[in-house]
Every structure is written in C-alpha cells, then in structure tokens.
Amino acid sequence: MPGAREQIRSLVHSGDTFDQPAPELRELQLEAARETFTAHRERVPLLRTRAAETGVDEITGLDDLVPLLFSHTSYKSYPVSLITAGRWDRLLRWYTTVSTVEPGDVDMDGVRDIDEWTDRITAAGHRPYITSGTSGKVSFLNCAAGDLSFLHDILEHLTCWPDPLPPKPTRRGYLLAPASGPMRSIDGFRWHADVFAQPGETRLLTEDAMRVSDLMSSALLRRRIAEGAATPQEISSFETASESREGELAAAMAEIVEDIAAHREEPLLIAGMNNQQFTLIQALRARGVADGSLHPDTLVLSGGGNKGRALPDDYQQQLAAFYAGVRRVRSYGMTELQGSCLACEQGNYHVPPWVIPLVLAEPGEKLVGSEQGVVEGRFAFLDVSLEGRWGGLISGDRVFVDFSPCACGRPGPAVLPDIRRYGDLGGDDKITCAATLDSYVRGLVH
C-alpha cells in the first residue's frame, strides 16, 4: 500500500480534489507529516538542526510542526557577497542547507555567474525556482524532478477548478513572459501552453531568457539609488538600458495586442502576471476590444502582487470586467506552494489536500485558536508533497481561514478573500524565528 504522502498526491486525480471527508483527510495529513519530517530531517540540515534545538523528535499533532517551520526569508538567507565575489561553491553549500541537493551532485567547475550556477543545479536534476528580488536578493526554492512532475499534474487536472478544463491543445496562445527562466510562473505558463494551446501557435512577450543576474543587479542598483549611493554614471547607464528594454517590450506588446484583436473570436490562451495583464487590457480597450467580448473558451492565467508598478486599487475589478465570460483561473498561492488554493463558486480559496494550513499569531510562534470557524492570523503551512525541500513555511500574509464547511458544500479549510501582507498593514513583518534561522545558515557558509 502506498504511503500517506503518495496517497495525498494521488488525490489530484480524484473526482473532486478539494471535496475530501475532513476527519479522514486530517488523519492522512498527519501521517504524511510524519513521513515527510522523517525523510527531510535526514536530508535538509537546517531542518535537522531546528528539530534538535526545539526538541521535536516526532509529529504527534499540529503544535509539533510550528517550531519546525522556516521563515519565508530563510530561502534568501545567503550573503550577497557570495554572488558578488563569485563564491559559487559557498553559495552551493548554503543551498544544500535548505534543500535536498547534495554538494557532490553539482559540478561548480568554471561557473561564471549566478545564471550558470542555477543551470548547473538544474542539470543535476533539480530546479532552483526564484522569487522576485525587489530588495536585491532573490529566494532560491529547490524543486526535485518529482515536484515538477506533480506541478504539471496539478495544472493538467485542476486548471479552472471547480469546472476543470479538459487537457486539449485548442487555443491560440499568448504568454506575457520571457521564453524561459527559473521562475515557477514562467514554467507554469509554458506548461499551460503545451497542454491548452495549439502546437506552434504561442506568442511570447520576448524570446530572451530571464536572467537572474539581471534581476538581482537591477534590484541592487535601485536600492543604491534610493540610498543615494549610486554614481551618476551608474544611474545614467541604468536609465538608458531600462528605456531601451521598455521600448522593446512595448513594441512586442503592441504586436500581441494587434494579434489578439484580430483573433478575438477564437479561443485564446492569455497568460501573464497582473502588471502585464493590466497593460494588455488597457491597450486592447484602446484598440476597441470591448469588455467581455473575447471567445468564451478563452483561458486566462494571471497572478502576482503589485511589485514593480503601482496598479490602481480596482485593477482586479478591471481585469474581471474585461475578461467577463471567459475561463479564468482564480487562486491564492505563492511559489513556495505546490499548486494554489483555488477559488470555489463562492469565491473562497480552498486549501489543497497536500497542504496542512497553520494559522499563527503574528510573531509566528504559536497556533491561533482551534480549527473551528473562522481564524485570523499569519498564514503558515506544511506542504507534504515536496521532495526537493522541507515544505514547512511561515508566510508574510495576514489571512482569515474558515475551517467550517464552505457555502459551496465542500468541507474546509478555505482561505477567505481578505488577504493582506503584514508589511502593508503598518507593521514590520518580523517573524520571531527568522533571525535565528538566518543566523544559523550564514554561519554555515562563512
């Protein structure tokens, strides 16, 4: 008989993944938590140390998971100097403390930059997904080959849940993204195109690959400019390069706008982050494409926050109005999660069965209340499906989680739509364990 983790992963193929009997699922989740803790404690040094320091030897209940959770900053706890100085072996050593990658499995000989570093890890059978680095640092989140396969299963079987689309390549595709890059959104868009777009009928915003080095250097320079530390030459060069790049992307977007306008009566696939999606719908409106006029079998994928551009407060309402009548994925998620919490008919985001939600007090040290009714706090979780890293994480999000049965008829838990970042609520978004974890990891690589 397969183990609990495998049983939970297999629910992606069930009739309704999110409609599982709550008592049976909770028992299965706890057994899966025990399995994943046992497996990852041996392979992830940071988890092993955390378990020893907190005295957690086994998982008997949800309270045992809380001391083992990593902060969302743990995956960017490396010193930037390792990258600026080209200490790729030391950076790999850091990576092996927060993932299941073994140092001897990755060839670092001759690595010249951070992009080659990520390529070498990918060549070793892992995928180091990054998150945006507005502070000058990016998070590196390891995915094993099995994790990537499971992600593909999720999108193939759950896209547009609760009325999932059959995996048929029938649409004309538009990806408002680079051709490639180590970001889950980029891979996800490409995989959706493979499943839902006609072969050879997908247009990209740019044929260039996204470079981690460009992303990090741009963020670092922006920070230096804000601090008044950048030289006039650095600022001038940055502005010239930015203007040139923006011009190229604007021209590419204009071509996509014209193509969508010409094919609006056909089923389309339009995928892109919210910033790009908002730019697109503004241009389509200006081109005379009316709200709600796209083919009803059009599939729209969007996501991401407000980083890098100030969108209007009603941008979500504007996206909903323009894409009225099409198939649109609605979800709450993050790169750290396998898949997302998907919206039901009532607009509540149901937590997938391979994710154990943990609502914590703001400092991130203890569970809030009981698993009954609506609970407010910091969103944390254990994703038991992950193989490439420990799936226990404390996020920066303030949420309301309803553990009662949803009005849609399915059992909870479900995250309610009022989701805010603690950093946007006037606080410092400080997690108690973060400094301890980050300090430990830095000590290993110096």
Side-chain angles (χ1 to χ4, degrees):
M1 182 176 179
R5 294 172 70 194
E6 189 57 37
Q7 291 181 58
I8 286 180
R9 285 170 68 125
S10 70
L11 293 176
V12 75
H13 302 285
S14 66
D16 191 336
T17 301
F18 295 86
D19 192 8
Q20 306 298 321
E24 291 87 343
L25 179 59
R26 177 41 49 91
E27 183 178 343
L28 191 62
Q29 285 178 328
L30 278 174
E31 181 57 35
R34 297 183 188 103
E35 288 181 9
T36 193
F37 173 60
T38 299
H40 284 77
R41 180 172 52 181
E42 299 305 314
R43 302 191 64 190
V44 181
L46 181 55
L47 176 62
R48 184 165 60 247
T49 298
R50 188 69 177 163
E53 289 178 345
T54 58
V56 178
D57 295 320
E58 61 178 335
I59 306 300
T60 59
L62 299 185
D63 284 323
D64 294 325
L65 292 173
V66 177
L68 303 175
L69 301 174
F70 294 178
S71 160
H72 62 90
T73 63
S74 298
Y75 293 101
K76 59 175 68 175
S77 58
Y78 55 89
V80 174
S81 59
L82 298 183
I83 296 176
T84 56
R87 299 301 307 273
W88 310 118
D89 55 338
R90 292 292 185 90
L91 188 63
L92 177 64
R93 184 179 178 186
W94 164 80
Y95 195 60
T96 61
T97 69
V98 295
S99 72
T100 59
V101 173
E102 298 288 343
D105 293 342
V106 185
D107 179 13
M108 288 286 109
D109 187 42
V111 171
R112 293 172 295 180
D113 58 27
I114 189 63
D115 295 284
E116 287 193 3
W117 183 83
T118 59
D119 288 344
R120 296 293 182 88
I121 295 174
T122 301
H126 293 259
R127 185 66 161 156
Y129 280 144
I130 69 165
T131 62
S132 58
T134 52
S135 65
K137 299 177 78 173
V138 299
S139 296
F140 291 99
L141 298 151
N142 191 62
C143 286
D147 299 329
L148 300 181
S149 176
F150 185 53
L151 273 173
H152 199 282
D153 273 356
I154 291 171
L155 73 87
E156 186 169 326
H157 293 91
L158 295 179
T159 292
C160 285
W161 180 89
D163 184 20
L165 284 172
K168 295 180 180 179
T170 57
R171 294 164 180 79
R172 190 176 181 88
Y174 304 90
L175 307 188
L176 311 179
S180 61
M183 293 189 79
R184 198 186 78 171
S185 59
I186 296 175
D187 276 355
F189 292 159
R190 294 303 297 257
W191 291 340
H192 275 93
D194 291 343
V195 173
F196 297 108
Q198 301 171 27
E201 291 295 336
T202 297
R203 288 138 194 84
L204 300 172
L205 188 60
T206 172
E207 295 289 344
D208 296 335
M210 189 207 72
R211 290 178 54 82
V212 184
S213 53
D214 291 342
L215 186 69
M216 294 187 72
S217 62
S218 177
L220 284 169
L221 184 56
R222 284 193 177 94
R223 189 171 72 180
R224 282 167 47 79
I225 291 173
E227 294 170 349
T231 67
Q233 183 176 357
E234 286 177 324
I235 296 173
S236 177
S237 297
F238 174 72
E239 290 176 343
T240 299
S242 296
E243 289 174 3
S244 175
R245 186 63 175 161
E246 288 174 6
E248 293 173 1
L249 294 179
M253 181 68 84
E255 291 182 7
I256 287 177
V257 167
E258 290 302 312
D259 205 78
I260 290 177
H263 296 275
R264 72 184 88 171
E265 296 182 359
E266 303 173 23
L268 310 176
L269 164 65
I270 304 174
M273 305 307 283
N274 287 331
N275 286 337
Q276 287 74 36
Q277 287 279 9
F278 188 74
T279 297
L280 177 70
I281 69 167
Q282 284 184 306
L284 286 169
R285 283 168 168 168
R287 176 65 173 70
V289 179
D291 289 7
S293 64
L294 297 183
H295 191 284
D297 285 335
T298 290
L299 170 60
V300 174
L301 311 171
S302 60
N306 220 349
K307 296 176 181 178
R309 177 181 173 186
L311 293 174
D313 291 339
D314 68 341
Y315 79 93
Q316 289 284 11
Q317 290 84 348
Q318 292 201 47
L319 289 176
F322 184 81
Y323 288 128
V326 308
R327 305 298 299 272
R328 188 170 174 225
V329 173
R330 296 179 302 145
S331 64
Y332 164 62
M334 55 197 74
T335 303
E336 292 87 347
L337 274 175
Q338 289 277 72
S340 298
C341 304
L342 299 180
C344 69
E345 299 89 342
Q346 300 295 318
N348 299 323
Y349 300 109
H350 285 252
V351 181
W354 49 89
V355 174
I356 301 175
L358 303 164
V359 185
L360 308 182
E362 185 175 345
E365 291 184 299
K366 62 180 181 179
L367 290 170
V368 175
S370 61
E371 292 187 286
Q372 296 179 354
V374 177
V375 180
E376 175 187 358
R378 184 183 290 274
F379 187 63
F381 56 86
L382 173 63
D383 186 332
V384 300
S385 73
L386 282 162
E387 299 174 357
R389 65 182 185 275
W390 170 240
L393 191 93
I394 305 173
S395 81
D397 293 348
R398 192 287 315 271
V399 298
F400 296 87
V401 177
D402 192 350
F403 289 93
S404 304
C406 181
C408 73
R410 299 176 184 86
V415 181
L416 303 184
D418 183 12
I419 302 165
R420 301 283 297 277
R421 300 284 293 181
Y422 273 108
D424 296 334
L425 294 173
D428 294 329
D429 190 22
K430 290 183 178 179
I431 300 173
T432 303
C433 72
T436 302
L437 292 171
D438 294 354
S439 176
Y440 164 74
V441 172
R442 284 195 298 270
L444 285 179
V445 297
H446 278 302

